[in-house]
Amino acid sequence: MLTVDFSRFPLAPGDRVLDLGCGAGRHAFECYRRGAQVVALDQNAEEIREVAKWFAAMKEAGEAPAGATATAMEGDALALPFPDESFDVVIISEVMEHIHDDKGVLAEMVRVLRPGGRIAITVPRYGPEKVCWTLSDAYHEVEGGHIRIYKADQLLTRIREAGLKPYGTHHAHALHSPYWWLKCAFGVDNDKALPVRAYHKLLVWDIMKKPLATRVAEQALNPLIGKSFVAYATKPHLPPVDAA
């Protein structure tokens, strides 16, 4: 399940991509399939080991085109172990709401992104996320949990202050908002509640079968209750230096 829309965020074979806070690796895997040179970075060692295994399996299965590369590594988003301007593309999906120093993370992403490079940032959308916080303290008051809810204009302001130029936004995963509302209402750790189990089956069916009816429904509902807010931006080229 991808949050970044690659029709709005073009990726060329050979692009150097950093998936920052990659988690289980969903965006890193898609970039690898598209022929990119991918680095998937996360502070969770267990998830990084799993991502590395999946990269190896994809290579073995021939899922990545010739020239594509993939590396999974542990790292700190506030102190990225890469030189300046190392990447053509940076993706950070559902991460910034967990980090106290979000300005520091943005500064690091800008540092390692080349001029003209592209960045995709996704965070939980304010409205659906506020419902979750209202229904359940346990949803967010956990170690490593969500520490803030971004409004769209707040995130875009952060992006501009970091020196990036936003060029597009949208919402995603409307069908997932009711699922999390149910989880929060019945208990975030209570997967046995009948409404939660039933809705989860619906989501699994939707992800596996991709029926037209739910695709159309989600597209129509995304502007209203989309679970994620997605922003795309570029890093401007520096103006030429006047030799005189």
Side-chain angles (χ1 to χ4, degrees), residues 20-67:
L20 181 55
C22 64
R26 57 201 173 103
H27 289 106
F29 299 148
E30 180 65 21
C31 293
Y32 190 31
R33 291 188 187 98
R34 291 171 178 262
Q37 298 174 14
V38 185
V39 175
L41 184 144
D42 201 285
Q43 66 177 2
N44 187 312
E46 184 177 344
E47 287 197 309
I48 284 298
R49 284 192 292 270
E50 287 300 311
V51 170
K53 290 177 183 178
W54 278 105
F55 278 151
M58 291 173 67
K59 182 177 181 180
E60 181 70 20
E63 290 188 38

Side-chain angles (χ1 to χ4, degrees), residues 157-237:
T157 296
R158 286 272 198 277
I159 291 171
R160 293 187 181 97
E161 289 174 347
L164 297 167
K165 184 177 181 181
Y167 69 84
T169 65
H170 64 89
H171 300 99
H173 309 318
L175 295 183
H176 288 250
S177 290
Y179 172 71
W180 282 103
W181 297 339
L182 288 170
K183 288 271 285 181
C184 290
F186 286 92
V188 290
D189 296 320
N190 181 13
D191 293 328
K192 295 182 179 179
L194 180 59
V196 175
R197 287 191 290 116
Y199 203 98
H200 183 263
K201 287 183 179 179
L202 170 66
L203 291 180
V204 171
W205 172 77
D206 175 56
I207 291 170
M208 298 300 294
K209 300 297 185 180
K210 298 181 174 63
L212 178 61
T214 55
R215 295 302 89 213
V216 171
E218 183 158 76
Q219 190 172 28
L221 289 170
N222 274 336
L224 302 173
I225 60 168
K227 183 74 170 66
S228 294
F229 174 69
V230 188
Y232 305 106
T234 59
K235 179 178 177 178
H237 291 275

